[in-house]
Amino acid sequence: MKVISIINHKGGVTKSTTCIHLAAYLAKRGYKVLIVDFDPQRNLSEGYGIPEDYPYTVLDMLNGKSGVRLKNKKGGLYILAGDKMLDTVLFPLEILKNRLNTLDKMFSDEHGIDFDYCVVDCSPSDIKEKFYPDGKLLPKLNQIALFASDMFVVPLLHKKFAVDGLANFMYDASNFKEKYNPDLKVGGVFFNVVTERARSFKKYYKEVKDAVPPDFFLKSYVRKDVRIEDATDVGKSIFEVDPNSRAAKDYSKLTRELLKKLN
């Protein structure tokens, strides 16, 4: 099972939306996909209509609770529900990696389900290092997610608030990769909700492309499409609501580009 984290230190930059449609495209291609809501805000879970009192959450998994229960969507898509209390507990860096390996093996042994990909929806927080008094790393949620991942992807909007601080975030991510997960691949930065003719898109697309290493930048971007909002309103992916829409075509292209880098 390959683990892909969708991550950014900013909120409101379409992390959850990216998770939903990227995972849906993978499932559409016949893969078995697990989505993990690793954000205490639970936006992804709410988008799938999963209530707060769902009987099993990501916090239960981290705590080693038995009776794993995933929300199953048609087409080989499974969701591990989020939990608003997720950020109230301190966990070791390797906890998510270990628990996902256990879950993957259990579903294979007990249900005959072999997950190909896991997509993790991360929280809007930084990944700067903090340490315990004894010098050991004090793991943050996003660091725990990156440690469990094979690749990370950073969605952006072509707005000043979204681009500000990106260079520092990518530096911190590279530093984390070097120290704690050398095999972690940088899927890259990509723009979402794009208005191609907008001056701001042309400006920030060039600015970001020039600012980050070539391997850190994704050429694919996703154009603004009202059908995405329609899909969100009914708790479905763009491929269920309008598979011929421009957003569906763009998410397909984006995911194919990521798979080439990952595999």
Side-chain angles (χ1 to χ4, degrees), residues 1-261:
M1 182 174 69
K2 298 289 187 181
V3 181
I4 305 170
S5 277
I6 311 301
I7 191 169
N8 195 315
H9 63 306
K10 301 280 189 177
V13 292
T14 73
K15 290 187 296 295
S16 299
T17 301
T18 298
C19 283
I20 289 172
H21 302 298
L22 187 153
Y25 177 74
L26 291 171
K28 180 173 175 285
R29 288 187 57 171
Y31 295 113
K32 292 289 188 296
V33 185
L34 171 65
I35 305 179
V36 176
D37 189 344
F38 209 58
D39 181 357
Q41 297 183 59
R42 294 188 74 256
N43 291 334
L44 186 141
S45 297
E46 291 176 4
Y48 276 116
I50 303 174
E52 277 190 52
D53 60 352
Y54 195 73
Y56 198 93
T57 71
V58 64
L59 186 57
D60 293 324
M61 182 189 73
L62 295 181
N63 284 326
K65 183 180 176 181
S66 60
V68 178
R69 182 172 173 182
L70 305 177
K71 178 75 172 180
N72 181 217
K73 298 284 286 185
K74 65 179 182 180
L77 198 57
Y78 298 80
I79 303 101
L80 178 59
D83 196 305
K84 288 194 171 183
M85 302 300 290
L86 181 61
D87 59 353
T88 65
V89 183
L90 293 177
F91 289 104
L93 185 64
E94 68 278 2
I95 187 72
L96 182 61
K97 182 180 181 68
N98 292 342
R99 293 289 192 257
L100 285 177
N101 286 337
T102 300
L103 184 151
D104 187 33
K105 185 177 186 305
M106 183 193 74
F107 268 73
S108 178
D109 292 344
E110 297 182 9
H111 306 287
I113 297 171
D114 296 306
F115 289 113
D116 299 292
Y117 294 98
C118 172
V119 181
V120 182
D121 186 17
C122 296
S123 64
S125 60
D126 66 60
I127 48 175
K128 292 183 182 296
E129 291 177 296
K130 288 187 178 181
F131 300 92
Y132 287 106
D134 63 1
K136 291 183 179 180
L137 180 70
L138 175 62
K140 301 178 180 181
L141 289 178
N142 279 352
Q143 292 170 331
I144 291 171
L146 287 180
F147 187 80
S149 297
D150 296 286
M151 170 185 278
F152 72 92
V153 182
V154 184
L156 274 183
L157 302 180
H158 50 89
K159 297 181 180 181
K160 187 178 186 303
F161 89 91
V163 175
D164 283 350
L166 175 65
N168 289 335
F169 179 79
M170 296 303 288
Y171 173 82
D172 291 336
S174 297
N175 184 55
F176 179 88
K177 164 183 163 64
E178 182 179 344
K179 287 186 177 182
Y180 303 103
N181 188 0
D183 293 329
L184 179 65
K185 294 184 179 180
V186 182
V189 178
F190 81 97
F191 282 91
N192 206 344
V193 197
V194 167
T195 302
E196 289 181 293
R197 294 183 180 180
R199 192 173 300 174
S200 61
F201 171 60
K202 296 175 182 177
K203 172 188 175 183
Y204 288 121
Y205 186 91
K206 184 179 186 305
E207 183 178 302
V208 172
K209 184 178 180 181
D210 293 343
V212 301
D215 288 347
F216 286 19
F217 189 78
L218 289 159
K219 295 180 181 179
S220 302
Y221 55 82
V222 180
R223 291 166 289 179
K224 185 176 183 179
D225 192 334
V226 295
R227 298 298 279 158
I228 288 286
E229 295 180 9
D230 294 340
T232 301
D233 287 343
V234 295
K236 295 182 178 181
S237 76
I238 189 65
F239 301 102
E240 295 171 281
V241 172
D242 192 347
N244 296 315
S245 64
R246 59 187 179 187
K249 294 175 182 177
D250 292 346
Y251 270 113
S252 300
K253 182 179 178 182
L254 171 69
T255 309
R256 290 196 299 270
E257 185 176 355
L258 287 171
L259 291 181
K260 285 182 180 179
K261 299 186 75 171

